[in-house]
Structures are given as C-alpha cells and as structure tokens.
Amino acid sequence: MKMEVLKREKRICPCCMEEHEVKTVKAKEQATFKDRQVDYDAVYTYCDAADELYMDERQIQENDIRLKDAYRRAEGLLTSDEISDIRSKYGITQSDLCTLLGWGGKTITRYESHQVQDRAHDTILKKIYRDPEWFLSLLKDAKNNFSEETYQKYLEAATAFYEEDQDQYLRKAIHASYARYRGNILFHGNSELSLDKVVDVIKYFASSTKITSLYKVKLMKLMWYADALSYKKRGFAITGLVYLALPMGAVPVGHNSIIDLKDVPCEEVDMGETNAYHFFLKDKTSFPSLSSEDLEILDAVIEKLGKMSKDEIVSFMHKEKAYIETAPKDVIQFKYAKSLQI
Ligand SMILES: [Zn+2]
C-alpha cells in the first residue's frame, strides 16, 4: 500500500505498546457507501515494529468523515466543511440555523459530521448560501425564537450580503445596457466601462470642498467634462461611460442605475413635487481605482466648473461643439473633445 508520512513522533506506540518513533501516515482507501464505491485519503498511525496500520479513536471518527465527504463530493452534495462555511457566512450557530430552517435542533451538527444530508436538505442549504434575501425572510419569520441581540447580529450579516448581491445585479444590468456600444471608441472614449472608476469619480466630486451644491444634473455634466478632458489630453476617457445629448446636456447611459450603485454618496431630498438627488461626502476617503493623472484631470474640471450653478453649467454645456453638433438623444462622440471649452 502506498503511504505518505505526515508526521514522525517518538512516543508510546498504541499498536505494540513500546516506545519508538511512531509515524502518522496518509493512505488511499476505497470503500462502498450507499452502493457507491468511493476513494478517499485515510489517516493512520503506523507501527514499524509490527508493520501495522492502527487507528485511534479520533482517527476512526475523522476517517469516517473523510469517507462521507468523498461520497458527498461524488454525489454533488455539500461536504461537511462546506456546510460549516455556509453557517460562517452568516455567523450563525448550528442550532440557530436549525431553528431558522425549522429543522430538528441537532440536524446541522450531524450534517457537519457523520450523517450525510438528504438531497432536499442539501438543496435548501445551497439556496440559503446563495440567497441572503431568503435568509432575511426566514429570519423575520423566526424572530421570536431569538434574543434581540442575536436577531440583530444575523440581520446585519445577511443584510450586508444582500446589499452586496444587489450591487452585483445592478452592475451586471449596467454592463448589459452598455453591450451595444462596446468597441466603439468614439462612443466610450477609448476606455472600457469601469464602474469602480465611475463610483470613485462621483465620490471624488462629492467630497470636494470646491464644488458647491452638487445635485444630479451638475454631477452628470462634471462627469462628462472629466471624461472629455481626459480624452482631449490623453486620448482616452476615465470611466468609459457613454453620454447622450439630453435637453440639460450630457447624461450617461444608465444614469438612474449608476447613482444607485453601492458607495455612491447619494441622498434623496424631498422637494415637494419631485425628489432631488444630492451628492455629498463628508468623511475622508480614498479613490483606489483612480490614478494620480485621473485626479489631476478631475481637479482641473473642479477648478473650472466647481462653483457654477446648475443653470450656469447647463448653458455652458449648451455652447459645446459636442452638444451643438449632436442630434437630440444621440450619443455624444468623443471626437469633439479637441474643441472642448476647458
Ligand atoms: Zn509499535
């Protein structure tokens, strides 16, 4: 039998009861479990004197779990570690997860060791891993079974994953709406769309003390100017956004989704008839996706346009060749950047 030595240790040998160097070894094993033949690595103690493999109580337990995990893998079921990882994701205890799912109190503990879960339960565990929204709805239903503190802890963990998920969906949707422009250099300014840069550019503007009252219309203009100036100076835009010529000037495709992205410091302000979107960031922050050259360009835009009111910046934009030459609702091409007013 092929064995791999994992450890050597001088101690009383549990096999021959003499003191000598005892090896811990790993060996390939084959066993049949539930009519399926499975291969797995088992760990033994090896006695050179008796030339015998021996398992202590702990090794018997662990080898049984290795066999069960090999079976689980072969059947496409979650392994014991993967089940424990699902709990770790939400920071939930074995018995609390049982409570949440309406299962017997020891079920998860058993699944994380010797008992192979049935397929229906396996599917539920996979779903709860992928679907924090479902976790949240189960948690609300089971609220009375938990202390307030425990409930809050699980609520926070699952909410964070839920928001992360939502952001990923939103990012996918924005990228999908950009698919038709891909490869058209004059539309996206020779840069691939980077939503990380989009978020950082918005954060940079929102945190600038040299920009007065930053609402959505003004923000969209500043973003276009930043990309256009970047293209004028370097031959490529910062964000890769595609802008349309709307009555108030340039507006990026997907603007409503963009301001919903995670970490965009956007606050909805009730203005009576309508809502306004205010962008403001008080705390010091970093802009990891932006280069120092990017930041210089943003600073140049802030210098020229930061103090303009919304009406001033809209009428300034209306004088751009890029705007005048573009038919209403058409894509504003970056070829006009060379005649930019700034
Ligand atoms: Zn021995």
Coordinates of all heavy atoms in Angstrom, one line a residue, residues 93 147 155 228 253 314 328:
T93 N -25.1 30.0 14.5 CA -24.7 28.7 15.2 C -25.5 27.5 14.5 O -26.5 27.7 13.8 CB -25.0 28.7 16.7 OG1 -26.5 28.8 16.8 CG2 -24.4 29.9 17.4
S147 N -33.0 35.9 20.7 CA -32.9 37.1 21.5 C -32.8 38.3 20.6 O -32.3 38.1 19.4 CB -31.7 37.0 22.5 OG -30.5 37.2 21.7
L155 N -29.3 39.7 11.4 CA -29.9 40.6 10.4 C -28.8 41.4 9.7 O -28.8 41.6 8.5 CB -30.8 41.5 11.2 CG -31.6 42.5 10.4 CD1 -32.7 41.8 9.5 CD2 -32.3 43.6 11.3
A228 N -14.3 63.9 -21.1 CA -14.0 64.6 -22.4 C -12.6 65.3 -22.2 O -11.8 65.2 -23.2 CB -15.0 65.7 -22.7
V253 N -25.5 57.0 -20.2 CA -26.4 55.8 -20.3 C -26.5 55.1 -19.0 O -25.4 54.9 -18.4 CB -25.9 54.9 -21.5 CG1 -26.7 53.6 -21.4 CG2 -26.0 55.6 -22.8
V314 N -25.3 74.1 -17.3 CA -26.1 73.6 -18.4 C -25.9 74.6 -19.6 O -25.7 74.1 -20.7 CB -27.6 73.5 -18.0 CG1 -28.5 73.4 -19.2 CG2 -27.8 72.4 -17.0
P328 N -30.5 65.6 -30.9 CA -31.1 65.3 -29.5 C -31.2 63.8 -29.3 O -31.5 63.0 -30.2 CB -32.4 65.9 -29.6 CG -32.3 67.0 -30.6 CD -31.3 66.6 -31.6

